Amino acid sequence: MATEPLDPVTFEVLKNSFITAVDQMGEQVLRTCYSFVIYNHDFSSGLHDAKGECAAQGNQDIAVHVGTLHFTCQDVMRHFEGDMHEGDVYAINDPYAGGTHFSDVRLVRPIFSGGKVIAYAQSNGHWSDVGGSVPGSFDVSAREMFREGLRITPVRLFSKNELHRDVAGLIAHNTRDPASIIGDMQAQAQATRVCEREILRLVDKYGRDTIETGLSAVQDYVERAVRQRIAAMPDGEWETVDYIDRDPAGGEGMIPIRIKMTIRGDKVIYDFTGSHPVIGSIYNSAFGTTFSGVAAGMKTFFPDLPLNSGFYRAFEIIAPEGSIVDARWPVAVTGFLMPFEKIMNSIYEMWSRLMPERALACAFNLEYLLTGGWDRRASDKSMFMFYDWLPGGWGGRNGKDGNNCTTASFGTGMMAQPVEGQERASPIICTEMEIVTDSPGPGKWRGGSGLRKTSRMLASEGVVISYICDRERAVVWGIEGGLPSMPHGLTLIHKDGGKEERLGAIFSDVPIVEGDVFSRPTAGGGGFGDPLERDPKRVLEDVVDDYVSVERAAKDYGVVIREIDAELCEYEIDAAATKALREEIRQSRVAWAREDPEAVAARYRAGEIDVFDVIRQHAVILEWQSGELLPESTRQFREMFERRSVGEWAPA
């Protein structure tokens, strides 16, 4: 018998009720989790229909998990087909089955009504450690998964609401923080129970058939809406390329991720043919996270629609097997977030051409700092895990500057972790956290600002530090003539002698001792539009706000500002000098961008120019500690710079 369609009022109530049920899962996790990482919103939840398709995600779920939860739900369904019971909860963290990386552990609960499964609730949380060769489970030198941590293929964790303590213990005791892991398991399991309660409450009110119809109808609604909007776009093809900084196991040169977007009628095809093969590092993406990057990037341009599997039906992905965007077992993939964010920003760029009113330039790259060892502040000398990420700048937009110090596009629901909580849990004290002047990419509409955080080790021993980041070479770029931001990278200041050592944006397992200081900035966003077209009054405001220095106001914007009293923030624009300088830059900047890279590198080593000059005027990429030219990376960066910046400038 065909099910009657829902009336509009019931449909709208159920659509929002499903999202609310997922949001309540998130609240349960937030209030009961043990991990400081999960507490700061590195988690997501999902409600699925009886086929495992995603029917609802929450309002605060982070971007990286969208598009992956239905894959892991369906993998659990395949493993336990015909053997599911009310009160069962299953665990999975398998990136090769559509997940993200081993740190993201998902718990899936079937929801029964009348003896039949009508839905599934899923809670995904980032555990701060899942074993592996380094604290935090991010070993950038890993080429295969065996050094990354514990791979959990679908396993029954709760049977009829009873915890399998042997299974839970086996998982937890293969990590560096078993007590927190057990606590997070319980929090996530109870979150799925909250969702189950809400769905069964709706069943009692509306009937099982109506709820099942609603779970399907909300997906159909989103699919129709997306397809209608795509159909209103012109058919055509758009292409772009972005880069991972390098293959640590390979030679010099950045790693391309190529995307061709094709619109045909009411469907979009994303073709990654030509992307680089997998690399000798954790910076590879399995298909699930590539799918997620596409979904999250495209969803940015449809902000008013709910997110569920109906959205995913409107696009198709072609990803060559064995490439950096379709890594297969046992290739290491824990650092998938690096290709993920390149995919998102590439999709921002292509959709910006189709929807210029929503256009935005490249955002900064998420970075993870992981420090672990033994805390000597108390007599019991417990093990600690310091797992940190920072906000940074988003790209300039069409008609508006980029957001300052905002969580990465990777996961906008995540919070910047409060240093007070970190200092209580770990023997690390924050000595500096401030906006980085000149970090915004210059443009008619500048990028947002990044920030710098500096920390010092306290009483500890056996401590190692790892840093997972990118865009030290594939520097955050501008569009429509906008300029890049600045390189990422961590600097270690040794206790003995105060020697500064730039460790860069990718390293693992580096020993540090009490008294050592480590500092890292996040980049700003890329600029949008020609910076010579920015209103000088806006540049003056940026100088007053300390977003831009007086020196770079002249170099990047051609705006000459005189300092009257810096302490009172009194400055003034020299209009005549500004007009002359802008004309001089307009006549010279194309030649600057094509200057001999070796000559640029020599001037940098001699201290004649700084890193901003090297990147923004000359589009040259160096090994920033030594000043050595990276010729292949420079060639690749200049190709991007010519297309996105030089090619958009009006003729001199």
Side-chain angles (χ1 to χ4, degrees):
M1 181 187 299
T3 305
E4 289 292 323
L6 300 178
D7 66 84
V9 173
T10 302
F11 169 80
E12 194 67 24
V13 168
L14 290 181
K15 173 169 70 74
N16 290 289
S17 295
F18 295 153
I19 296 171
T20 298
V22 179
D23 282 339
Q24 289 187 348
M25 291 175 68
E27 283 297 314
Q28 178 72 18
V29 169
L30 189 64
R31 295 172 188 275
T32 60
C33 65
Y34 276 53
S35 164
F36 199 59
V37 174
I38 294 179
Y39 179 73
N40 284 281
H41 282 253
D42 197 345
F43 67 84
S44 294
S45 311
L47 171 66
H48 307 267
D49 65 16
K51 297 178 182 177
E53 297 292 349
C54 183
Q57 287 203 248
N59 287 306
Q60 290 297 312
D61 289 339
I62 65 176
V64 69
H65 300 147
V66 310
T68 66
L69 297 179
H70 66 294
F71 289 133
T72 45
C73 183
Q74 290 166 348
D75 198 52
V76 166
M77 292 168 62
R78 284 190 291 271
H79 274 74
F80 291 97
E81 185 176 4
D83 188 26
M84 286 186 172
H85 312 281
E86 190 170 348
D88 285 359
V89 179
Y90 311 96
I92 178 174
N93 75 342
D94 190 354
Y96 311 107
T100 49
H101 54 187
F102 299 121
S103 301
D104 285 337
V105 183
R106 290 104 187 271
L107 269 60
V108 179
R109 178 188 295 268
I111 299 174
F112 284 79
S113 176
K116 140 184 197 188
V117 177
I118 63 166
Y120 294 86
Q122 183 170 185
S123 173
N124 173 52
H126 183 119
W127 293 359
S128 58
D129 186 274
V130 287
S133 55
V134 299
S137 312
F138 282 77
D139 184 348
V140 298
S141 62
R143 303 181 72 161
E144 295 182 330
M145 58 144 286
F146 308 109
R147 292 172 60 182
E148 295 186 286
L150 185 66
R151 179 189 182 194
I152 306 170
T153 54
V155 61
R156 198 188 314 264
L157 189 60
F158 286 76
S159 180
K160 300 178 182 178
N161 288 317
E162 290 293 324
L163 176 66
H164 283 215
R165 297 187 182 277
D166 52 351
V167 176
L170 175 66
I171 293 171
H173 288 92
N174 274 282
T175 76
R176 292 172 174 82
D177 190 7
S180 291
I181 297 306
I182 293 292
D184 289 338
M185 281 183 192
Q186 293 280 11
Q188 291 178 243
Q190 290 304 312
T192 62
R193 199 166 191 174
V194 166
C195 185
E196 176 188 52
R197 181 194 68 204
E198 289 302 299
I199 296 305
L200 294 181
R201 182 181 65 81
L202 293 171
V203 168
D204 288 343
K205 183 173 183 178
Y206 293 98
R208 188 178 73 188
D209 289 348
T210 298
I211 299 307
E212 289 184 294
T213 300
L215 291 169
S216 177
V218 293
Q219 298 174 60
D220 294 342
Y221 159 73
V222 172
E223 180 184 8
R224 286 194 306 272
V226 175
R227 288 189 181 277
Q228 286 172 2
R229 297 187 192 184
I230 294 171
M233 302 289 174
D235 283 3
E237 295 181 350
W238 296 264
E239 296 185 59
T240 193
V241 61
D242 203 351
Y243 293 91
I244 304 292
D245 281 347
R246 57 182 146 164
D247 179 353
E252 192 269 309
M254 299 191 294
I255 307 302
I257 297 176
R258 302 186 185 279
I259 311 179
K260 180 171 73 173
M261 181 177 77
T262 303
I263 292 182
R264 293 177 186 161
D266 63 356
K267 185 176 183 179
V268 187
I269 300 168
Y270 297 94
D271 187 349
F272 288 85
T273 299
S275 296
H276 198 278
V278 294
I279 61 176
S281 173
I282 62 175
Y283 289 7
N284 298 292
S285 175
F287 180 81
T289 46
T290 294
F291 186 97
S292 175
V294 169
M298 184 171 159
K299 178 65 171 64
T300 303
F301 290 82
F302 300 85
D304 56 311
L305 295 177
L307 186 63
N308 58 41
S309 287
F311 190 87
Y312 312 147
R313 298 172 191 165
F315 64 82
E316 174 188 341
I317 293 176
I318 300 170
E321 181 177 344
S323 69
I324 195 170
V325 293
D326 190 14
R328 305 295 177 95
W329 181 89
V331 172
V333 295
T334 294
F336 76 91
L337 53 122
M338 303 309 165
F340 175 90
E341 289 199 346
K342 309 309 180 298
I343 293 168
M344 282 193 74
N345 280 289
S346 294
I347 289 175
Y348 292 166
E349 182 184 18
M350 292 186 291
W351 275 92
S352 290
R353 299 171 194 165
L354 286 163
M355 301 174 68
E357 70 279 6
R358 297 195 61 83
L360 73 162
C362 183
F364 87 105
N365 204 99
L366 179 70
E367 46 88 71
Y368 282 148
L369 176 70
L370 303 106
T371 309
W374 297 97
D375 186 348
R376 288 197 296 105
R377 294 177 300 172
S379 57
D380 61 353
K381 200 175 74 170
S382 59
M383 181 174 282
F384 77 92
M385 258 304 308
F386 178 87
Y387 177 36
D388 193 27
W389 60 80
L390 294 179
W394 277 55
R397 295 163 284 179
N398 189 357
K400 200 169 185 180
D401 293 339
N403 291 333
N404 298 317
C405 301
T406 301
T407 306
S409 55
F410 171 88
T412 51
M414 294 165 65
M415 298 170 58
Q417 298 185 48
V419 297
E420 296 84 357
Q422 292 177 325
E423 290 170 353
R424 184 171 182 177
S426 303
I428 296 173
I429 189 167
C430 176
T431 60
E432 175 192 37
M433 196 165 182
E434 64 178 10
I435 285 176
V436 179
T437 302
D438 295 324
S439 59
K444 181 176 181 180
W445 303 101
R446 63 161 175 79
S449 296
L451 59 77
R452 177 182 294 102
K453 185 174 184 179
T454 302
S455 304
R456 186 175 73 249
M457 285 303 308
L458 302 179
S460 56
E461 63 183 53
V463 178
V464 295
I465 187 170
S466 302
Y467 192 54
I468 315 302
C469 193
D470 204 59
R471 295 209 186 277
E472 184 178 19
R473 300 177 181 179
V475 180
V476 174
W477 35 264
I479 61 173
E480 302 290 332
L483 295 177
S485 173
M486 56 178 280
H488 283 130
L490 182 143
T491 298
L492 179 62
I493 305 170
H494 294 274
K495 170 188 176 182
D496 298 329
K499 176 188 174 185
E500 287 195 17
E501 180 184 6
R502 183 182 174 89
L503 298 178
I506 175 171
F507 61 85
S508 287
D509 212 21
V510 174
I512 58 175
V513 299
E514 182 179 345
D516 282 353
V517 173
F518 47 90
S519 180
R520 85 269 194 197
T522 55
F528 182 97
D530 188 343
L532 298 185
E533 296 179 8
R534 186 167 178 81
D535 185 343
K537 292 180 182 178
R538 288 186 174 272
V539 179
L540 178 63
E541 290 173 5
D542 288 340
V543 170
V544 169
D545 291 335
D546 216 19
Y547 296 144
V548 176
S549 67
V550 170
E551 178 187 19
R552 295 241 62 97
K555 287 187 174 183
D556 295 333
Y557 295 96
V559 176
V560 179
I561 295 175
R562 288 197 296 262
E563 177 185 307
I564 299 171
D565 189 326
E567 289 190 4
L568 295 178
C569 296
E570 291 185 3
Y571 302 88
E572 66 179 11
I573 298 168
D574 186 326
T578 294
K579 182 178 180 181
L581 181 56
R582 284 190 157 181
E583 185 57 31
E584 178 186 339
I585 293 173
R586 191 171 283 110
Q587 295 295 329
S588 305
R589 57 184 176 176
V590 173
W592 291 342
R594 296 169 183 172
E595 186 176 338
D596 176 32
E598 287 284 5
V600 173
R603 292 170 59 202
Y604 175 80
R605 292 191 295 268
E608 297 172 10
I609 55 176
D610 64 14
V611 64
F612 293 109
D613 299 323
V614 171
I615 291 169
R616 295 175 181 173
Q617 292 184 349
H618 305 292
V620 169
I621 301 300
L622 308 177
E623 201 291 310
W624 302 111
Q625 176 86 354
S626 67
E628 175 190 355
L629 176 68
L630 301 176
E632 179 60 15
S633 297
T634 294
R635 183 193 65 79
Q636 293 166 312
F637 188 75
R638 280 192 162 182
E639 284 183 357
M640 292 197 294
F641 192 79
E642 287 277 341
R643 177 168 58 86
R644 296 184 174 117
S645 299
V646 176
E648 299 291 335
W649 294 335

